[in-house]
């Protein structure tokens, strides 16, 4: 698995298929361990990720690590982490359709190699890339979706993006942070059954 991932990463590292190749400092391919049980797909690298070449290392990433830690999971031993888009869009704008299309080959290869049993779709960009138009994240988060052939039958759960949680500080019942807490506990329960 490791050798196969390495080959895709190497191809990706010299990619010039879309305009983001001009402005990126680093390609952000993955982090965590190649775990066939649990994969998380985010949106696209931000400033710090572009600088370091690693996904989820900024504030949102630190919060993501805390969310995993709250149920005893960590990227060092339990999760394979990557993004829908491997290069930072300027000013963190939403990725363009042609950028998503150009990058799909790498995400698809990551899924094909890892063959995770469970995939967390973190934010709308990840949801759309795998599930298409199934509705906004607020309505579909926390629900399990059966993945089709594209994901080899993995169970999928859309979850809030940690950047969204950073903008919504309340922990009251029904708030985004409270909902995230329900979701991560459900994820842990299912993970333990795998
Ligand atoms: N947001 C993402 O979706 N991915 C990252 O790697 C960082 C921030």
């Amino acid at each position: 698995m490791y050798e196969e991932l390495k080959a895709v990463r190497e191809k990706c590292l010299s990619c010039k298929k879309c305009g983001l190749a001009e402005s990126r400092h680093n390609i952000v391919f993955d982090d965590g361990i190649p775990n066939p049980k649990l994969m998380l797909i985010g949106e696209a690298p931000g400033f710090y990720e572009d600088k370091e070449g690693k996904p989820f290392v900024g504030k949102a990433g630190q919060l993501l690590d805390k969310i995993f830690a709250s149920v005893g999971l960590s990227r060092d031993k339990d999760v394979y982490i990557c993004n829908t888009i491997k290069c930072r869009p300027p000013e963190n704008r939403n990725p363009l359709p042609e950028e998503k299309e150009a990058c799909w080959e790498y995400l698809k290869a990551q899924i094909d190699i890892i063959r995770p049993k469970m995939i967390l779709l973190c934010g709308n960009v990840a949801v759309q890339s795998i599930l298409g138009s199934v509705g906004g994240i607020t309505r579909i988060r926390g629900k399990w979706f059966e993945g089709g052939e594209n994901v080899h039958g993995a169970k999928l759960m859309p979850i809030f993006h940690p950047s969204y949680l950073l903008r919504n500080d309340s922990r009251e019942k029904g708030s985004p942070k409270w909902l995230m807490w329900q979701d991560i506990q459900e994820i842990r329960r299912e993970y333990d059954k795998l």
Side-chain angles (χ1 to χ4, degrees):
M1 191 194 285
Y2 189 77
E3 286 304 314
E4 282 178 78
L5 272 178
K6 202 170 142 199
V8 180
R9 178 202 302 264
E10 260 154 35
K11 183 168 179 210
C12 186
L13 289 185
S14 56
C15 182
K16 293 205 164 83
K17 280 165 69 185
C18 81
L20 298 180
E22 299 290 312
S23 52
R24 72 176 178 231
H25 292 100
N26 279 297
I27 287 184
V28 177
F29 188 72
D30 64 3
D31 197 25
I33 59 152
N35 185 353
K37 276 167 106 178
L38 182 58
M39 174 170 186
L40 177 134
I41 305 175
E43 296 190 355
F47 176 84
Y48 292 102
E49 290 78 20
D50 176 57
K51 205 167 152 205
E52 291 188 30
K54 254 191 184 192
F56 285 104
V57 290
K59 275 197 172 161
Q62 287 159 22
L63 178 55
L64 182 66
D65 286 341
K66 279 193 198 159
I67 292 166
F68 278 131
S70 74
V71 291
L73 296 172
S74 91
R75 74 166 86 188
D76 299 332
K77 52 183 181 58
D78 310 294
V79 197
Y80 182 73
I81 296 182
C82 66
N83 283 312
T84 309
I85 301 288
K86 314 302 187 208
C87 298
R88 183 188 182 208
E91 311 301 324
N92 298 346
R93 64 157 167 71
N94 278 336
L96 303 172
E98 59 266 30
E99 292 161 357
K100 289 194 254 187
E101 205 181 301
C103 225
W104 169 246
E105 129 177 37
Y106 304 116
L107 179 58
K108 179 75 175 99
Q110 286 170 307
I111 296 170
D112 289 348
I113 294 166
I114 305 279
R115 288 191 171 238
K117 295 217 160 37
M118 193 189 277
I119 303 180
L120 308 180
L121 302 170
C122 188
N124 277 318
V125 172
V127 170
Q128 276 162 19
S129 75
I130 302 291
L131 290 173
S133 304
V134 284
I137 193 82
T138 312
R139 208 159 51 78
I140 60 169
R141 57 127 280 280
K143 297 194 173 119
W144 289 111
F145 287 77
E146 290 305 323
E149 271 178 34
N150 253 350
V151 294
H152 310 286
K155 282 182 85 130
L156 308 167
M157 187 191 278
I159 56 171
F160 282 135
H161 196 284
S163 317
Y164 178 68
L165 301 178
L166 286 171
R167 296 193 297 271
N168 289 273
D169 214 34
S170 165
R171 285 166 192 273
E172 274 178 32
K173 194 171 175 185
S175 66
K177 277 198 173 143
W178 183 86
L179 292 169
M180 184 73 233
W181 172 236
Q182 313 307 308
D183 296 349
I184 196 67
Q185 290 182 82
E186 166 63 12
I187 289 159
R188 177 77 225 207
R189 280 192 292 273
E190 281 302 307
Y191 181 84
D192 287 337
K193 290 186 204 156
L194 296 174

